[in-house]
């Protein structure tokens, strides 16, 4: 749906808004002369080059040249979409968006579900501490999840109610309706309403603003499946939603220096508990381009840290392949390969924070993983093997947009093939020819 907000309204909104207040409420600013300054939230720096002009109602970074008005700031910093930023500024100014009924129809539909999930999340959270649910606290204890983490990640518990009883449905008609829409409950063909999550630890999956999109539920009684996620809804997209993204975003200075991609909920939480507060989980779905694009939008360095098993290795290779199209020269992709049978949750419990930091520090860069993997079953001992290898590397290099990294990968390829001299002669010939022309 396309929203048309009158330009006059946007102008009025901006003239009522003070960009200095908006930005100062989110990051620390200092006044110097006419303007305000701060450490740029869009690139890494030590001295403030991010300036905000009250006169022009504009921000500009002398380091990375980002610039814009209050709306642009909310879009880029809070990752809001255009409509959301207009809504935020309107509500701050007590202004009503014209034709808001039409404009906001879709938004309100989503908002209802966000509110519903927030409500149910609180119910789940309260369940944890109920006496009859002792098994839950016991289970969380065996996983070494502390109270602070339960709070930070709003962990909860869904009770043993399988079928929603009629009197309850009558009493809470709207709530039940929205619970069905958001996938918490489902209606069977016989019109009975069932609880999707029964006796499961509930992990709310939040968007960047902290709104709950859906849940992941882990059985505490070894039922199948071990993990169950919310179904696709208008607010929950399995291929896009990430666990831990909100908590990471909230607990790190912007721009976020690096992100760890892990597989599980407990990986994210245990790492967080051990002061690694920048891990996100891909919710059991396989990694895809949308996720990589989203993450490279937030950070310049992605480190994959999948489980130490064959599936984890395969996921690493898949991540490499689908990330290629996003490897600009300022983007870095690295890999941590854990010992067999370990995952981030188990290894950091065994080794502790410091040793895990070492693993991060020593993560293998994409280029190294690439060559090691392709040369694993290829000794380059004859022209055919060399050709095969060259084609494989060439196909990969072609997909990368970063020119400098491309250059060095090519150089690496030539070195591995042991043909540096031939290539040099070729390059020289080209240059000479050009000069002649
Ligand atoms: Zn900047």
């Amino acid at each position: 749906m396309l929203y048309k907000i009158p330009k006059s309204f946007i102008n009025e909104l901006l003239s009522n808004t003070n960009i200095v207040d908006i930005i100062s409420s989110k990051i620390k600013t200092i006044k110097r002369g006419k303007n305000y300054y701060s450490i740029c939230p869009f690139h890494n720096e030590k001295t403030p080059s991010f300036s905000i002009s009250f006169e022009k109602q504009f921000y500009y970074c002398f380091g990375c040249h980002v610039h814009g008005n209050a709306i642009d700031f909310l879009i880029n910093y809070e990752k809001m979409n255009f409509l959301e930023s207009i809504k935020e500024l309107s509500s701050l100014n007590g202004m009503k968006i014209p034709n808001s009924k039409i404009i906001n129809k879709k938004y309100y539909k989503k908002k209802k579900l966000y509110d519903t999930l927030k409500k149910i999340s609180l119910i789940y959270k309260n369940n944890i501490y109920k006496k009859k649910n002792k098994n839950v606290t016991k289970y969380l204890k065996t996983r070494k999840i502390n109270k602070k983490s339960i709070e930070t990640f709003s962990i909860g518990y869904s009770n043993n109610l399988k079928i929603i009883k009629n009197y309850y449905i009558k009493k809470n008609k709207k709530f039940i309706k929205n619970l069905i829409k958001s996938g918490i409950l489902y209606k069977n063909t016989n019109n009975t309403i069932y609880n999707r999550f029964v006796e499961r630890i509930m992990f709310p999956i939040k968007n960047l603003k902290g709104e709950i999109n859906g849940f992941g539920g882990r059985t505490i009684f070894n039922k199948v499946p071990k993990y169950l996620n919310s179904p696709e809804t208008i607010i929950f997209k399995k291929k896009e939603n990430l666990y831990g993204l909100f908590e990471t975003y909230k607990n790190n200075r912007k721009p976020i220096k690096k992100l760890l991609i892990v597989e599980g909920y407990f990986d994210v939480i245990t790492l967080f508990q051990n002061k690694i507060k920048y891990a996100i989980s891909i919710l059991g779905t396989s990694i895809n381009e949308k996720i990589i694009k989203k993450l490279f939008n937030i950070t310049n360095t992605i480190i994959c840290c999948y489980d130490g098993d064959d599936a984890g290795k395969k996921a690493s290779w898949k991540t490499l392949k689908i990330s290629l199209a996003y490897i600009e020269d300022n983007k870095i992709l690295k890999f941590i390969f854990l010992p067999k049978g370990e995952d981030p949750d188990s290894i950091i419990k065994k080794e502790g924070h410091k040793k895990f930091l070492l693993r991060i520090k020593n993560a293998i860069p994409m280029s190294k993983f690439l060559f090691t993997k392709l040369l694993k079953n290829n000794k380059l001992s004859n022209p055919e093997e060399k050709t095969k290898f060259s084609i494989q590397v060439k196909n990969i290099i072609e997909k990368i947009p970063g020119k400098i990294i491309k250059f060095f990968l090519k150089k690496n390829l030539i070195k591995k093939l042991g043909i540096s001299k031939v290539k040099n002669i070729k390059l020289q010939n080209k240059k000479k020819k050009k000069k002649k022309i």
Side-chain angles (χ1 to χ4, degrees), residues 195 315 364 376 434:
N195 193 4
I364 294 166
K376 205 181 164 196
K434 266 185 190 167

Side-chain angles (χ1 to χ4, degrees), residues 366-403:
M366 177 269 290
S367 57
K368 194 175 174 190
F369 178 35
L370 167 68
F371 283 103
T372 317
K373 166 92 180 167
L374 294 181
L375 288 173
K376 205 181 164 196
N377 298 310
N378 188 339
K379 298 267 174 313
L380 299 179
S381 48
N382 54 50
E384 284 81 1
E385 281 185 353
K386 284 181 182 173
T387 306
K388 188 185 166 195
F389 176 64
S390 306
I391 291 169
Q392 282 174 327
V393 178
K394 201 185 136 239
N395 285 341
I396 283 172
I397 292 176
E398 269 171 4
K399 290 187 185 124
I400 296 175
K403 286 195 177 111

Side-chain angles (χ1 to χ4, degrees), residues 40-45 49-50 61-66:
C40 177
F42 302 108
H43 85 277
N44 284 312
E45 64 173 3
S49 42
F50 185 79
C61 174
F62 292 93
C64 67
H65 310 294
V66 292

Side-chain angles (χ1 to χ4, degrees), residues 395-416:
N395 285 341
I396 283 172
I397 292 176
E398 269 171 4
K399 290 187 185 124
I400 296 175
K403 286 195 177 111
I404 302 171
I405 180 74
K406 237 174 166 160
F407 168 80
F408 283 109
L409 284 172
K410 273 182 200 164
K411 242 187 141 182
N412 223 344
L413 168 68
I414 289 159
K415 203 174 145 198
K416 295 265 187 232

Side-chain angles (χ1 to χ4, degrees), residues 254-307:
K254 268 53 97 188
I256 295 170
K257 276 190 183 158
K258 52 180 172 280
L259 284 174
L260 281 180
I261 307 181
V262 297
E263 290 184 37
Y265 298 99
F266 283 110
D267 295 327
V268 171
I269 299 165
T270 308
L271 286 173
F272 196 96
Q273 227 171 257
N274 285 279
K275 289 183 265 172
I276 312 276
K277 299 185 175 181
Y278 39 86
I280 49 109
S281 155
I282 45 178
L283 304 179
T285 54
S286 64
I287 187 87
N288 61 67
E289 279 200 36
K290 266 192 176 158
I291 291 176
I292 295 294
K293 198 179 164 189
K294 192 173 181 176
L295 296 184
F296 267 144
N297 215 351
I298 297 171
T299 187
N300 284 337
T301 304
I302 296 177
I303 304 169
C304 296
C305 185
Y306 301 131
D307 295 356

Side-chain angles (χ1 to χ4, degrees), residues 12 119 162 173 201 228 250 328 360 400 407 418 426:
E12 198 192 337
K119 238 182 185 174
K162 287 187 182 103
K173 235 179 180 173
I201 304 263
L228 186 63
K250 204 178 151 192
E328 298 283 351
I360 293 177
I400 296 175
F407 168 80
K426 251 190 181 174

